[in-house]
Amino acid sequence: MRSERYIPYLLVLPSVIFLLFLFAWPLVEALLLSIRGSEGWTLEHFQRMAADLYFKDALKYTVLLAVVVVPLQVILALCMAMLLGGISRGRDLFLYVWTIPLGISDLAAGIAWLAIFTERGYLNSFLQALGLIHEPRLWLSYETPAMLFLAVVAAEVWRATAIVFVILVAGLQLIPKEYSEAAEVFGATPWRRFWRVTLPLLMPSLQVALILRTILALEVFAVVVALGGRNLPVLAGEAYFWYNAYQNPGVAAAYSVLILGISVLATLLYLRLMRPRQEVVA
Amino acid sequence: MKKQWIGFSLIGAALVALAAVFAQQQSVLFVSTQFTPIEEAQRMRQVILKDFSGRVEFIPEDNAPFTSRILSEAKAGKVNVSLVGGLHGDFPPLIAAGAMDSVDDVMAQLKDRRFSPTFVSLGKMGTGSQYYIPWMQATYIMVANKQALQYLPTGANLNTLTYSQLKEWGANIQRATGKRLLGFPAGPRGLMHRFTQGYLYPSYTKSAVSKFRSDEAQRMWSEFKGLWQFVNPQSTTYDFMQEPLLSGEVWVAWDHIARLRDGLNQKPNDFVAFPAPIGPYGRGFMPVLAGLGIPKNAPNRDGAVALIEYLTRPEVQITTLVENGFFPVIQAKLPDNLPQGTRMAADAIARQAQSNVALPSLLPVGLGARGGEYNKVFQDTFARIVLRGEDIRRVLDSEAINLRRVMNDAKAPCWSPDPVSEGPCPVN
């Protein structure tokens, strides 16, 4: 009997070791890298990061992207998941088509969207064919930051809504049909049923989706670099440039620590704001 | 039993004799930082070196192991390498450690080769004697769509274009077409910083580091900012210029030859290749020059000399171009069956290096891991002045502090075209 008490721990052990090796260790290394200089402990890397030409823009655009993209994706995914619930025939087909972007790497997605928005791209050809413009317009230059931002939002929404969608579909399937039926018996309208029954019960899935997507949005990189180069700097991109192009791992680590900090903060915020209400738990 | 013994001794004697023959025909150990990709190394061994009369063992190595190998062999007093091939910047640490032999005698034997004089003097490394023989080169040049030629300013010649004529050209094109069709590779992986380091700065200041914040540099930036108004603003997303040239987004562009070659080879009839523009001090340009040197106490110096003679023959220089994409360092007649694009590029490169206004400036030397931050100074200066419109004087003063830190951290002395310095190259 006694030995059985240890079985769960034994079963968790491999994943704990895995996490320690592949997440905790690099994390500690990155932390150390960011605060260690050639002569002992230092805040120099953080100071250089903060003084860098692209720092303010990178911070601004990263947060702005997360704030714009994540809610859009959640609303879209929620609509798609609810629609899917109403379909009886061909449901699987929709499910598969909608999740195709999941299988595409973010760099490939960025390049695909670049082919749409570039000067000789599909968008300009399309608009020209319709007679709406006479010659190609520039969408992705440093002179059109708003358009550049919108292009990145479009690409990100297209690319990463599917992951939210999958989580929400799974969440919806976990909700027993009886609740909705009971509400229907008492005369609740579909809208009221969604608002009062489905949504509260979906809260745990929403929470997971939000946390996951926000963290990923803070790490956005390849799509932005493919579409905008340095015109739309983001934090992860700056970390990459400092590590790779400028060969300064210290400042790169400072950037990654900053991303980590913001991610942790966002996660704590979600956990606090989206605590399941007591009656739902009961 | 006896017969067997005789047999064994005979075989033994034969083996000793064979070994003696091989020892006489000793091979040349040729170590190089170039052609490290396996296909290039194979083409070097199987095609380029095929007709060499002696035996060569060609070993490509990355920069760091290459340097430490030569240095440690010299230190240990047991030298195995007979010939060294590397970029200009690979040589300074070897020469500083006294590991390289002078090759003045080899140069004297190669009088008929017609080397570019610029390259020969670079091979002296600022000393009185020759330390490497020019081997092959790559560089950055300009390419234009033929449609753009009709808008060249009156009196302008592609081969002697000045920076103000380039600006005028861009302006003419925009006036005629309504589009900004000059282009630069200013994307995240583009080589725009090489343009500022090796073309703009030397042309206007005959320096890249020491006169970084000079009044001449200030004038240069203000003129370049004027030119930039005719540059396609999508330039900040271009990494390679061959794609925008091929698609027609850009008509006139500057880039590394390797990043233009596909465009030239795909549509040779649509494009012309020509040297970089000329500024007040001449035509600043950045040759990526590789040279051949002989270590001190090389075990097979004669073999190495013969190999240098072989590799600088016109026909072998052309084989090197065809096989591995590096251009000749001598005036060589190109064969007719060369791809037309490659031939155009070779002509432009030769005109750029051979002209009397040539002002070669080297890839940074001796910066080591600081090379990235050195580039960043130039990238940021460009972004702040040209793209963000900040005050030029203020930007130059503040970026000079960053440049000074890089030079002091790396303790790198000046390299051409900056004048020789004692200690780290100063940012005046």
Side-chain angles (χ1 to χ4, degrees):
Chain A
M1 261 331 257
R2 258 194 75 208
S3 64
E4 274 184 20
R5 278 173 46 200
Y6 298 107
I7 287 178
Y9 296 101
L10 270 176
L11 290 175
V12 193
L13 194 64
S15 61
V16 169
I17 293 172
F18 177 81
L19 281 175
L20 281 177
F21 260 96
L22 290 174
F23 288 95
W25 188 15
L27 197 137
V28 172
E29 284 276 310
L31 263 173
L32 288 177
L33 204 56
S34 70
I35 51 173
R36 239 191 329 219
S38 47
E39 290 136 19
W41 308 108
T42 174
L43 281 177
E44 191 205 325
H45 301 312
F46 283 95
Q47 285 161 355
R48 287 194 70 183
M49 171 182 83
D52 188 57
L53 182 60
Y54 295 99
F55 174 71
K56 269 191 209 144
D57 284 348
L59 190 61
K60 181 180 88 182
Y61 283 124
T62 308
V63 173
L64 208 59
L65 268 176
V67 169
V68 172
V69 169
V70 175
L72 259 177
Q73 285 177 330
V74 170
I75 292 168
L76 252 173
L78 197 56
C79 292
M80 284 155 70
M82 294 305 291
L83 282 175
L84 198 70
I87 300 174
S88 47
R89 284 182 65 194
R91 181 178 180 276
D92 286 354
L93 184 71
F94 275 95
L95 191 65
Y96 293 141
V97 170
W98 278 343
T99 48
I100 282 175
L102 266 185
I104 295 170
S105 85
D106 36 357
L107 184 61
I111 291 171
W113 282 80
L114 181 66
I116 295 175
F117 285 114
T118 191
E119 193 182 342
R120 305 272 158 151
Y122 294 110
L123 180 63
N124 274 334
S125 314
F126 180 68
L127 292 177
Q128 257 181 314
L130 288 182
L132 291 175
I133 52 172
H134 293 296
E135 48 187 43
R137 290 265 302 270
L138 288 178
W139 304 107
L140 301 176
S141 87
Y142 65 94
E143 292 170 341
T144 55
M147 191 54 218
L148 190 55
F149 184 78
L150 285 181
V152 172
V153 168
E156 271 295 289
V157 167
W158 175 81
R159 183 185 71 84
T161 302
I163 181 84
V164 185
F165 169 69
V166 168
I167 295 172
L168 294 187
V169 167
L172 280 174
Q173 281 171 345
L174 285 178
I175 302 173
K177 285 221 165 56
E178 288 79 8
Y179 292 124
S180 193
E181 283 167 10
E184 206 177 346
V185 169
F186 287 108
T189 60
W191 179 247
R192 229 178 136 77
R193 289 205 302 274
F194 168 74
W195 204 241
R196 288 298 174 87
V197 179
T198 313
L199 205 57
L201 288 170
L202 197 60
M203 218 33 117
S205 306
L206 267 176
Q207 194 180 40
V208 171
L210 274 170
I211 290 173
L212 196 72
R213 265 310 302 156
T214 307
I215 292 175
L216 289 177
L218 292 171
E219 291 169 5
V220 65
F221 168 50
V223 169
V224 180
V225 170
L227 283 172
R230 264 332 241 299
N231 298 331
L232 198 81
V234 286
L235 291 174
E238 291 310 302
Y240 168 80
F241 287 122
W242 274 95
Y243 186 82
N244 225 18
Y246 313 146
Q247 294 169 26
N248 189 327
V251 181
Y255 268 105
S256 63
V257 169
L258 179 68
I259 298 172
L260 177 76
I262 301 176
S263 303
V264 170
L265 213 70
T267 308
L268 289 177
L269 214 67
Y270 282 129
L271 288 177
R272 172 132 195 93
L273 292 179
M274 299 180 68
R275 255 186 316 198
R277 287 204 307 247
Q278 280 313 304
E279 65 264 37
V280 176
V281 175
Chain B
M1 217 34 197
K2 237 183 184 173
K3 264 189 186 167
Q4 259 186 352
W5 274 111
I6 293 170
F8 273 127
S9 354
L10 275 176
I11 291 170
L15 278 177
V16 170
L18 246 158
V21 169
F22 269 114
Q24 271 193 341
Q25 230 220 353
Q26 196 190 15
S27 79
V28 181
L29 183 57
F30 178 14
V31 181
S32 158
T33 57
Q34 300 306 295
F35 305 149
T36 44
I38 193 96
E39 309 83 21
E40 291 184 9
Q42 281 304 88
R43 286 197 291 264
M44 177 71 177
R45 293 188 187 111
Q46 291 169 357
V47 187
I48 301 172
L49 290 171
K50 191 182 62 170
D51 294 330
F52 180 58
S53 53
R55 297 204 310 136
V56 192
E57 202 180 330
F58 176 72
I59 300 181
E61 255 172 334
D62 282 330
N63 190 289
F66 165 84
T67 309
S68 49
R69 171 174 192 160
I70 307 295
L71 290 181
S72 55
E73 281 191 3
K75 217 180 209 169
K78 191 177 177 307
V79 179
N80 292 315
V81 178
S82 290
L83 186 63
V84 165
L87 296 182
H88 178 91
D90 295 332
F91 283 95
L94 310 182
I95 294 167
M100 297 304 292
D101 206 356
S102 147
V103 286
D104 283 324
D105 55 324
V106 189
M107 200 45 149
Q109 287 176 38
L110 299 172
K111 275 224 161 61
D112 60 332
R113 284 287 191 272
R114 297 207 290 166
F115 285 110
S116 148
T118 315
F119 293 159
V120 174
S121 78
L122 283 175
K124 294 187 171 154
M125 307 296 302
T127 67
S129 48
Q130 199 75 32
Y131 274 106
Y132 67 76
I133 308 284
W135 173 21
M136 51 188 196
Q137 64 161 328
T139 188
Y140 310 75
I141 54 166
M142 311 249 340
V143 163
N145 192 312
K146 281 188 180 159
Q147 293 178 73
L149 297 181
Q150 53 185 312
Y151 305 114
L152 263 177
T154 39
N157 177 334
L158 273 188
N159 293 323
T160 54
L161 203 68
T162 64
Y163 277 99
S164 42
Q165 284 172 334
L166 179 65
K167 177 185 166 184
E168 216 180 308
W169 194 10
N172 291 347
I173 295 175
Q174 194 187 11
R175 208 172 301 126
T177 64
K179 289 182 212 152
R180 292 174 276 181
L181 293 172
L182 300 185
F184 286 93
R189 288 177 57 236
L191 294 168
M192 185 68 191
H193 49 279
R194 296 291 186 227
F195 181 74
T196 34
Q197 292 160 5
Y199 289 74
L200 264 190
Y201 259 103
S203 300
Y204 279 83
T205 70
K206 210 176 178 185
S207 148
V209 176
S210 56
K211 289 189 183 171
F212 178 81
R213 53 176 292 279
S214 62
D215 291 341
E216 289 155 315
Q218 194 178 346
R219 193 159 53 247
M220 169 198 101
W221 280 112
S222 115
E223 282 188 33
F224 189 64
K225 201 173 151 185
L227 186 150
W228 192 264
Q229 55 184 311
F230 308 112
V231 169
N232 187 325
Q234 263 189 187
S235 286
T236 52
T237 54
Y238 295 151
D239 290 336
F240 287 49
M241 289 315 295
Q242 55 202 11
E243 287 98 9
L245 277 170
L246 281 170
S247 74
E249 279 178 32
V250 157
W251 276 2
V252 182
W254 169 96
D255 207 344
H256 192 283
I257 178 62
R259 296 175 170 203
L260 293 166
R261 201 165 46 203
D262 280 358
L264 287 176
N265 282 335
Q266 273 180 42
K267 291 187 180 170
N269 296 322
D270 291 8
F271 297 113
V272 285
F274 55 100
I278 299 168
Y281 277 100
R283 173 182 285 137
F285 74 101
M286 200 176 248
V288 179
L289 178 63
L292 298 163
I294 302 179
K296 256 187 200 139
N297 305 321
N300 188 0
R301 196 175 195 280
D302 292 342
V305 173
L307 191 51
I308 292 176
E309 189 276 326
Y310 173 80
L311 286 169
T312 53
R313 284 180 200 169
E315 64 273 19
V316 181
Q317 291 264 303
I318 284 159
T319 315
T320 310
L321 167 63
V322 174
E323 294 297 323
N324 281 352
F326 268 90
F327 288 83
V329 285
I330 58 171
Q331 286 180 32
K333 192 187 168 306
L334 301 172
D336 298 329
N337 57 1
L338 208 60
Q340 202 185 336
T342 308
R343 166 191 297 279
M344 278 155 54
D347 285 345
I349 289 173
R351 282 199 296 274
Q352 180 165 275
Q354 310 266 1
S355 75
N356 53 1
V357 286
L359 188 64
S361 68
L362 299 167
L363 285 168
V365 177
L367 291 179
R370 299 281 165 192
E373 287 187 47
Y374 176 77
N375 294 340
K376 181 176 168 56
V377 171
F378 290 86
Q379 289 165 342
D380 286 1
T381 307
F382 164 75
R384 290 174 67 180
I385 292 175
V386 178
L387 303 181
R388 302 187 176 201
E390 288 185 43
D391 178 65
I392 298 177
R393 183 78 268 152
R394 269 223 331 265
V395 173
L396 288 181
D397 287 346
S398 78
E399 290 295 336
I401 298 170
N402 292 332
L403 185 57
R404 215 167 279 146
R405 184 184 51 218
V406 171
M407 300 315 293
N408 290 336
D409 282 358
K411 298 187 182 64
C414 294
W415 60 87
S416 166
D418 278 291
V420 179
S421 68
E422 278 182 30
C425 194
V427 183
N428 296 324

